[in-house]
Amino acid sequence: MPKESLNFPKADILVIDDTPENLNLLSAMLTEQGYKVRSVTKGSTGLRGANAVPPDLILLDVNMPEMNGYEVCQHLKANDRTREIPVIFISALGDVLDKVKAFAVGGVDYITKPFQLEEVLARIENHLTIWKLQQQLQAQNERLQQEIHERTKAEEKFAKVFRSSPNPIAIATVSEARFIDVNPSFLKMSGYCLEEVIGDTAAELNLGKNTVAIAQTIQLLPETGSLYNLEFEFSTKSGEFKTILISLELLDLAGVPCALLIANDITERKRLENEFISLVSHELRTPLTSTMGALDLLGSGQLGTLNQQGQKVLSIATTNTERLIRLVNDILDLERMKSGKIFTRKAKCNAADLLITATEAMQAMADKLQVGLIINPVSVELWADSDRLLQTLTNLLSNAIKFSEPGDSVWISAILSESKGVESEENQPSSSNHLLITIQDEGRGIPEDKLQIIFERFQQVDASDSRNKGGTGLGLAICRDIIQQHDGKIWVQSILGKGSTFYVLLPLPASQ
Ligand code: ADP
């Protein structure tokens, strides 16, 4: 017995023939070759069997009493369940086989008796192969139709969202950052009409203060992947400035890499936020300072000695008041920096001195949390506001220490950056006359989608950070403003669970 018949039959064949000798002969021959054979002597029985369990192929005698082969075939082709099954007609040598009719009623081939084993097998296999291929093709076709249908539906949905979205949306090419489509909300926000925008870049339209950075961000999108909520000063056609947040997604339009830019106009929100923040901060500062004075007085014992419980309550009140004062001061600092009311007082200072002073200031905190502080300073002259830079370095060190575990280390190092090797956030190699300060920790790390946003006001990776770690979520926003006022750059790289490295890149005075 051939191997296949031991496992799976090659195919299921139904033989319909009123001559038992023929049936037996065909059945034995095909079973021997590994086919599963069902044989019946009547057309009506064959039709019932085929309908109940459709076979892969039917061998059908032409001349049968009651219902001849042509009629059986017509019934098979009229039934959805059996229509596709290939039918091969069998005719005896003396029979008149109407070949035209055989094909007309849906037969795919015919065999004449007496049977030639090889010929019968070859024809059966041939038609089984054709049938299988047809099935595959049909399945593939159905899959493709389904895909086309789904794609069309998705495109329709996208087009609907694009047109009717209240958010301004633009699509630009990655290669040149040229607009290829914008939605009505974008036109409303910008004041331009569609024809003025299509084909132009943000820089050509003068859409804001930092159009070059936007173009670079679009061009780097294939490397960086999606970006969220980048703040951008947008300039309308009439010259009005708006603050918008842009999120970027990579899009493939007929093989052309494009950027989908979704904007969120936060001008009004910012204005209200600023107004509210400055009002609250100013209103809070005076009473908080006097509360702190009162708490100091209580702690000094001049108004009587507190018992242990009283000391504990006083200590909680002092910690919380200090935190509030820090928060208010940070907010006012930021507000003043944003509105240009704080001028940096730049003077000659030494980078090594700054690093050493910052490390000394943070040593007590590091000791308390059992974190090692390792310093690699470089002696180089800076033209900077040393108080403000110190504020930046201590804030970065404080974050590195507080997000580390006991036994971890924090490194603060500085190097003179070479023209190659140092890559800033925007992957622009910096020129050689820069100082690169790195603060590296082996703490909990920062998730990739938070690497940019933590430099925004009140942004913390974990909402419980301010409670558990005592921060305000303003430190990095202040650092970024200070560094920008020194024409420098600040950014972070991090691996979750492994640690973070904050980079501060500062220009050196021209003579160095
Ligand atoms: P905070 O006062 O909360 O520390 P920052 O603006 O300095 O405010 O930092 C914002 C947030 O960024 C932190 O709350 C924390 O979630 C995250 N972060 C900053 N530095 C680190 C660091 N070295 N390791 C892990 N997370 C950090």
Side-chain angles (χ1 to χ4, degrees):
M1 203 182 246
K3 234 179 170 182
E4 290 101 311
S5 60
L6 290 174
N7 305 315
F8 280 107
K10 281 208 278 195
D12 179 3
I13 297 179
L14 175 65
V15 187
I16 310 172
D17 196 328
D18 65 325
T19 328
E21 303 85 67
N22 279 344
L23 273 187
N24 291 342
L25 179 70
L26 276 170
S27 184
M29 198 167 87
L30 295 172
T31 311
E32 168 78 3
Q33 292 301 316
Y35 291 103
K36 180 186 165 198
V37 183
R38 283 186 274 161
S39 25
V40 293
T41 50
K42 274 196 198 159
S44 53
T45 326
L47 284 175
R48 271 201 306 279
N51 187 51
V53 183
D56 298 318
L57 184 136
I58 297 175
L59 292 176
L60 180 58
D61 189 15
V62 174
N63 283 316
M64 289 186 295
E66 286 178 32
M67 197 191 283
N68 69 24
Y70 304 126
E71 285 171 85
V72 175
C73 192
Q74 272 167 333
H75 281 290
L76 285 168
K77 298 297 157 189
N79 181 349
D80 280 348
R81 271 174 74 76
T82 52
R83 176 174 301 130
E84 305 295 335
I85 306 168
V87 175
I88 299 178
F89 282 105
I90 307 167
S91 77
L93 196 57
D95 291 346
V96 188
L97 171 69
D98 187 341
K99 291 174 197 163
V100 175
K101 191 165 179 187
F103 285 118
V105 293
V108 290
D109 209 346
Y110 59 88
I111 309 165
T112 42
K113 291 179 250 188
F115 305 121
Q116 294 288 318
L117 176 63
E118 285 78 16
E119 185 195 339
V120 174
L121 289 177
R123 283 180 195 265
I124 288 177
E125 285 198 355
N126 197 11
H127 286 292
L128 279 172
T129 310
I130 294 174
W131 183 68
K132 254 185 219 147
L133 288 175
Q134 264 171 352
Q135 299 279 307
Q136 280 172 7
L137 209 66
Q138 201 168 327
Q140 211 168 356
N141 243 343
E142 275 164 20
R143 256 199 325 274
L144 280 176
Q145 291 291 348
Q146 182 64 20
E147 261 176 40
I148 291 172
H149 178 69
E150 276 164 18
R151 206 173 267 209
T152 317
K153 254 175 45 188
E155 272 170 19
E156 274 168 13
K157 254 191 225 160
F158 174 78
K160 221 182 227 171
V161 172
F162 184 78
R163 296 278 153 232
S164 60
S165 169
N167 284 83
I169 307 178
I171 302 173
T173 57
V174 163
S175 57
E176 290 187 76
R178 282 189 188 283
F179 293 115
I180 53 174
D181 205 357
V182 297
N183 73 348
S185 300
F186 183 96
L187 297 174
K188 196 167 158 212
M189 175 178 77
S190 65
Y192 287 98
C193 65
L194 194 63
E195 294 70 34
E196 289 172 309
V197 177
I198 304 301
D200 274 359
T201 65
E204 284 163 356
L205 285 169
N206 195 18
L207 283 186
K209 286 182 187 155
N210 216 351
T211 49
V212 177
I214 280 289
Q216 281 172 350
T217 312
I218 290 175
Q219 281 158 349
L220 283 172
L221 201 55
E223 284 152 54
T224 56
S226 311
L227 296 169
Y228 303 103
N229 293 330
L230 308 181
E231 202 172 308
F232 180 65
E233 286 295 316
F234 185 88
S235 168
T236 65
K237 189 177 178 183
S238 61
E240 185 193 348
F241 274 104
K242 287 178 185 279
T243 311
I244 60 169
L245 292 179
I246 305 181
S247 296
L248 296 101
E249 291 278 346
L250 196 60
L251 203 71
D252 185 287
L253 285 188
V256 180
C258 291
L260 178 74
L261 295 98
I262 303 177
N264 194 359
D265 185 351
I266 56 162
T267 318
E268 187 54 15
R269 191 181 94 190
K270 268 240 142 134
R271 194 184 60 76
L272 289 173
E273 202 180 276
N274 285 341
E275 250 174 34
F276 178 75
I277 285 173
S278 70
L279 183 86
V280 171
S281 314
H282 286 106
E283 292 299 317
L284 280 176
R285 211 159 124 100
T286 321
L288 273 176
T289 319
S290 74
T291 307
M292 198 62 212
L295 292 174
D296 274 349
L297 198 61
L298 276 178
S300 70
Q302 289 175 45
L303 303 178
T305 325
L306 286 170
N307 63 15
Q308 215 180 352
Q309 185 66 14
Q311 294 280 0
K312 211 167 143 196
V313 173
L314 179 66
S315 149
I316 296 170
T318 310
T319 312
N320 283 327
T321 312
E322 275 170 356
R323 220 182 96 206
L324 274 178
I325 291 178
R326 216 168 37 241
L327 178 70
V328 170
N329 284 340
D330 279 357
I331 292 173
L332 287 175
D333 248 17
L334 257 183
E335 194 213 342
R336 287 203 211 106
M337 264 188 273
K338 279 258 177 296
S339 57
K341 284 185 205 137
I342 282 193
F343 298 106
T344 45
R345 282 182 296 273
K346 291 185 186 164
K348 263 190 197 169
C349 54
N350 190 283
D353 292 345
L354 282 178
L355 262 65
I356 292 165
T357 314
T359 311
E360 281 170 358
M362 299 317 296
Q363 193 62 56
M365 180 185 180
D367 291 345
K368 196 170 159 208
L369 297 176
Q370 295 168 42
V371 174
L373 271 187
I374 301 154
I375 173 168
N376 286 310
V378 66
S379 184
V380 63
E381 290 246 306
L382 288 172
W383 181 250
D385 184 330
S386 55
D387 284 348
R388 295 269 153 205
L389 281 192
L390 212 52
Q391 184 182 353
T392 304
L393 296 182
T394 49
N395 188 55
L396 294 177
L397 278 174
S398 145
N399 280 347
I401 295 167
K402 76 181 176 191
F403 292 109
S404 292
E405 292 293 321
D408 285 350
S409 296
V410 167
W411 291 263
I412 176 163
S413 325
I415 51 163
L416 292 176
S417 75
E418 301 294 326
S419 47
K420 39 183 184 132
V422 179
E423 296 217 335
S424 76
E425 188 184 18
E426 282 112 21
N427 285 353
Q428 291 169 302
S430 59
S431 60
S432 57
N433 53 347
H434 280 75
L435 176 73
L436 182 72
I437 304 173
T438 52
I439 289 100
Q440 187 183 354
D441 65 60
E442 33 186 16
R444 72 175 195 196
I446 300 160
E448 209 182 329
D449 62 334
K450 295 275 173 17
L451 290 177
Q452 300 196 25
I453 211 146
I454 50 167
F455 290 94
E456 301 297 328
R457 293 192 300 191
F458 300 114
Q459 292 296 335
Q460 294 179 313
V461 171
D462 194 323
S464 63
D465 279 351
S466 61
R467 240 177 304 119
N468 299 340
K469 306 278 181 186
T472 60
L474 288 170
L476 289 177
I478 295 176
C479 291
R480 187 180 60 176
D481 278 1
I482 294 174
I483 298 306
Q484 279 173 354
Q485 287 190 1
H486 285 81
D487 301 316
K489 278 189 179 133
I490 179 166
W491 71 99
V492 61
Q493 288 177 348
S494 185
I495 300 175
L496 211 52
K498 293 241 158 84
S500 315
T501 306
F502 281 80
Y503 296 87
V504 174
L505 189 72
L506 291 169
L508 293 174
S511 58
Q512 298 187 54

